[in-house]
């Protein structure tokens, strides 16, 4: 496809593999791999997912995009081939990353897409391969891979190659157990530089927070920090959380540990565990009630109040909000004693009951 980057055939491919080898070497040297608790199912989803994406999905999508381009818009083939490389590169990267931001965000907010993206969040450890852990169908529908195909068709192969290298460095770096950003948090004098860096690029701390199990730790935000290469989209669209800290617990609350076949091939293969979101016939019904629950708290006790109305442990969150636009409310008890928490989710003074359920009763 067009001329090779810097005159070297497949240079971008070599560099991506080089980056993976680099991080795997670092992780191995650091002893992380020997301490891993990953199961066979985890390995096959991560390493197999990487191989499938690199050698099947991406080439297939680029081939189809080329075919569609030639059939539907042949006049614009190579339209940007003579344009300024850096302008094409910036345009390619910004559009690529904003597409991925929204696709990733929808992967958390819409039930079907969540079921395809959920394997990514079942990882209980980070590592460079976690970035490749999603259901196969998730990748087939990924808009930014189609965008790569289109840009190459338009003659921007060189920009794509450079952009992919830069993007892989950031994404693999943000999933790696080598937390390169910790160095920057150690020295106060680096604060201004760190501030700028984390407000442009996704750092490990920013992305680890997205993989944290629950907001209860005050660090994690599994329903925020959706950015991939740039953190600017999260800041622009109100989903950014910067703490410069790393959650201790990663993964999903109530993970039913589906077999890798179901996780990867859903919806072709469903989970055989009835409590799993990817089991046939699984439903997340509303569990709201028109009466509050009286709960007892210790002073400063933290809890997550369910906002989505689907928790099986009302009025508290049990993680059932995944696949909806809701996320729980992190609360802290101001004093020791009892409090009446809302279960109807109509209250205007959440998490407390304000008797809104009485109006609903009269409807
Ligand atoms: S279960 Fe988490 S907000 Fe409802």
């Amino acid at each position: 496809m067009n001329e090779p980057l810097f005159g070297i055939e497949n240079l971008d491919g070599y560099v991506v593999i080089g980056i993976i080898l680099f991080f795997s070497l670092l992780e191995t040297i650091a002893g992380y791999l020997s301490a891993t608790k990953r199961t066979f199912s985890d390995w096959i989803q991560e390493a197999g997912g990487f191989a499938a994406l690199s050698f099947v999905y991406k080439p297939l999508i680029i081939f189809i995009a080329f075919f569609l381009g030639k059939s539907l818009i042949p006049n614009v083939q190579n339209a940007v081939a003579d344009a300024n490389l850096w302008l094409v590169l910036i345009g390619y990267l910004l559009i690529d990353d904003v597409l991925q931001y929204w696709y990733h965000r929808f992967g958390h907010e819409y039930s079907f897409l969540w079921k395809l993206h959920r394997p990514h969040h079942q990882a209980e450890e980070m590592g460079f391969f976690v970035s490749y852990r999603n259901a196969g169908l998730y990748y087939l529908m990924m808009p930014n891979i189609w965008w790569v195909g289109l840009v190459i068709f338009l003659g921007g192969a060189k920009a794509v190659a450079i952009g992919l290298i830069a993007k892989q460095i950031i994404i693999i770096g943000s999933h790696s157990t080598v937390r390169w950003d910790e160095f920057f948090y150690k020295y106060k004098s680096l604060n201004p530089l760190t501030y700028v860096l984390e407000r442009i690029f996704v750092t490990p701390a920013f992305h680890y927070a997205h993989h944290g199990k629950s907001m209860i730790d005050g660090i994690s935000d599994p329903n925020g920090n959706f950015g991939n290469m740039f953190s600017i989209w999260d800041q622009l669209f109100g989903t950014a959380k910067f703490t410069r800290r790393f959650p201790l617990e990663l993964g999903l609350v109530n993970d039913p540990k589906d077999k890798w076949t179901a996780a990867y091939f859903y919806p072709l293969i469903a989970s055989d565990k009835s409590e799993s979101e990817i089991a046939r016939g699984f439903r997340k019904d509303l569990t709201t009630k028109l009466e509050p629950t009286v709960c007892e708290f210790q002073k400063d006790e933290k809890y997550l109040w369910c906002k989505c109305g689907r928790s099986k442990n009302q009025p508290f969150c049990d993680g059932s909000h995944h696949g909806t636009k809701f996320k729980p409310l992190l609360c802290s008890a101001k004093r020791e004693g009892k409090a009446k928490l809302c279960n109807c989710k109509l209250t205007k003074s959440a998490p407390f009951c304000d008797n809104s359920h009485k109006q609903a009763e009269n409807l």
Side-chain angles (χ1 to χ4, degrees):
M1 262 163 270
N2 300 358
E3 62 211 280
L5 187 62
F6 304 124
I8 304 171
E9 282 294 343
N10 302 322
L11 177 64
D12 55 317
Y14 297 137
V15 174
V16 170
I17 290 171
I19 293 165
I20 289 166
L21 289 176
F22 173 72
F23 276 100
S24 74
L25 191 67
L26 280 186
E27 291 187 11
T28 309
I29 290 170
Y32 292 112
L33 284 184
S34 55
T36 187
K37 293 193 180 74
R38 278 183 172 77
T39 61
F40 171 75
S41 169
D42 291 317
W43 279 117
I44 200 156
Q45 284 187 74
E46 295 175 15
F50 165 71
L53 176 66
S54 308
F55 304 119
V56 181
Y57 293 117
K58 268 192 183 165
L60 180 69
I61 291 172
I62 291 170
F63 176 79
I64 297 173
F66 240 78
F67 174 78
L68 290 176
K70 274 187 180 280
S71 316
L72 302 174
I73 44 171
N75 308 346
V76 295
Q77 184 168 8
N78 290 325
V80 301
D82 296 325
N84 180 292
L85 173 65
W86 301 106
L87 283 182
V88 178
L89 173 64
I90 291 168
Y92 154 66
L93 270 181
L94 289 177
I95 294 176
D96 179 285
D97 208 51
V98 76
L99 283 174
Q100 195 169 358
Y101 167 87
W102 279 107
Y103 186 61
H104 182 198
R105 184 166 169 176
F106 288 163
H108 283 263
E109 295 183 344
Y110 292 95
S111 172
F112 182 69
L113 271 184
W114 164 246
K115 291 174 186 179
L116 303 179
H117 179 52
R118 185 171 158 271
H120 190 67
H121 287 275
Q122 288 177 296
E124 292 176 350
E125 296 175 8
M126 295 299 273
F128 55 98
F129 265 148
V130 170
S131 31
Y132 300 100
R133 183 180 170 139
N134 281 289
L137 185 56
Y138 185 80
Y139 288 116
L140 263 185
M141 299 193 300
M142 211 166 190
N144 51 305
I145 303 183
W146 289 89
W147 170 242
V148 164
L150 179 63
V151 177
I152 293 173
F153 175 74
L154 294 176
K158 204 184 261 187
V160 166
I162 299 172
L164 277 180
I165 293 167
K167 195 166 173 173
Q168 286 304 310
I169 290 175
I170 303 290
I171 293 183
I172 295 176
S174 70
H175 284 89
S176 174
T177 49
V178 180
R179 305 163 175 184
W180 59 263
D181 54 337
E182 279 180 318
F183 169 81
F184 289 85
Y185 308 147
K186 271 190 210 153
Y187 305 101
K188 266 200 164 161
S189 55
L190 291 177
N191 240 337
L193 174 66
T194 312
Y195 184 90
V196 174
L197 200 68
E198 68 188 355
R199 268 154 186 84
I200 299 175
F201 296 108
V202 169
T203 58
F206 189 81
H207 196 62
Y208 269 58
H210 177 68
H211 278 266
K213 191 173 261 185
S214 165
M215 283 170 63
I216 197 95
D217 62 7
I219 302 170
S220 305
D221 190 358
N223 301 91
N225 291 12
F226 299 112
N228 296 277
M229 179 170 186
F230 301 117
S231 63
I232 47 180
W233 316 118
D234 282 290
Q235 295 165 77
L236 211 55
F237 302 120
T239 51
K241 180 170 177 174
F242 297 95
T243 65
R244 297 186 184 179
R245 290 186 292 153
F246 294 82
L248 291 179
E249 281 196 288
L250 306 168
L252 288 182
V253 178
N254 298 329
D255 184 351
K257 311 274 181 218
D258 303 302
K259 287 185 185 145
W260 73 267
T261 43
Y264 193 77
F265 291 108
Y266 185 82
L268 288 179
I269 299 179
S271 174
D272 54 2
K273 303 193 169 148
S274 58
E275 74 278 21
S276 169
E277 287 177 81
I278 57 168
R280 297 264 183 253
F282 179 89
R283 288 169 44 144
K284 265 186 202 171
D285 292 323
L286 282 178
T287 53
T288 50
K289 302 187 274 195
L290 295 181
E291 58 178 338
T293 302
V294 177
C295 305
E296 186 126 25
F297 297 106
Q298 299 300 314
K299 187 173 181 317
D300 297 328
E301 186 177 339
K302 293 203 169 16
Y303 61 95
L304 291 176
W305 177 72
C306 167
K307 248 185 181 175
C308 73
R310 288 167 178 82
S311 170
K312 294 190 183 69
N313 183 32
Q314 292 291 0
F316 304 111
C317 168
D318 71 349
S320 299
H321 58 272
H322 288 300
T324 76
K325 290 191 174 187
F326 293 96
K327 63 179 180 183
L329 187 67
L330 177 59
C331 309
S332 176
K334 288 210 171 68
R335 62 187 78 84
E336 185 182 333
K338 293 182 177 164
K340 248 202 280 182
L341 299 195
C342 166
N343 278 324
C344 70
K345 313 301 167 192
L346 298 172
T347 179
K348 290 178 191 66
S349 46
F352 306 109
C353 169
D354 69 353
N355 286 327
S356 292
H357 62 276
K358 293 204 169 142
Q359 289 155 21
E361 265 170 1
N362 297 330
L363 289 177

